[in-house]
Amino acid sequence: MSGDAVAPETATVPRRTPTWLVATIAGGFGLFYAYAVWNALGNLIQSVQFAGENGFVLSPIGWVIWILAVIFPIAAFAAAFAIGYRRPAHHLILVLLTGLALTAVFWLNVVAYTELNYASLLA
């Protein structure tokens, strides 16, 4: 036998993160992502109501911007969870935190665009 063979007793199997810990971490971060979705949905509804009260409607670009603001946090959470759920707990936390940071940057871009160009969102 060669000296490179590893005996089954000494072989180490990587330990998986317990399911309850993955669920707890994902659930905690999921609340922050859900807040971003709720906030975007509230602003979409408020923009539609404001435009309607003043005799306008949202333009197609306005709909696209607000719908993307609703969808992006969901997609970011799904991607971050898909990347991190099989990794150790601290890697999952870092991946979900990175996705949340991307969501925050996207949200700031949406807010900046809608504040500076609100007239272009109305038709």
Side-chain angles (χ1 to χ4, degrees):
M1 296 191 108
S2 79
D4 294 338
V6 177
E9 305 87 37
T10 61
T12 58
V13 177
R15 300 176 84 194
R16 289 198 51 189
T17 306
T19 304
W20 68 268
L21 185 58
V22 171
T24 303
I25 293 169
F29 275 96
L31 292 174
F32 290 111
Y33 284 95
Y35 177 75
V37 171
W38 186 259
N39 207 6
L41 194 57
N43 281 336
L44 169 64
I45 293 168
Q46 186 178 14
S47 293
V48 170
Q49 286 177 346
F50 176 76
E53 289 172 355
N54 294 312
F56 296 105
V57 294
L58 280 182
S59 68
I61 190 71
W63 281 105
V64 168
I65 288 172
W66 286 120
I67 290 173
L68 280 177
V70 171
I71 292 173
F72 187 81
I74 298 168
F77 178 77
F81 185 77
I83 290 170
Y85 82 100
R86 290 185 184 243
R87 300 181 189 276
H90 63 283
H91 290 180
L92 176 61
I93 291 171
L94 289 175
V95 171
L96 287 171
L97 189 62
T98 302
L100 195 58
L102 287 173
T103 299
V105 168
F106 183 78
W107 179 250
L108 286 174
N109 287 336
V110 167
V111 169
Y113 184 81
T114 57
E115 287 295 318
L116 294 175
N117 303 307
Y118 196 76
S120 68
L121 301 179
L122 301 176

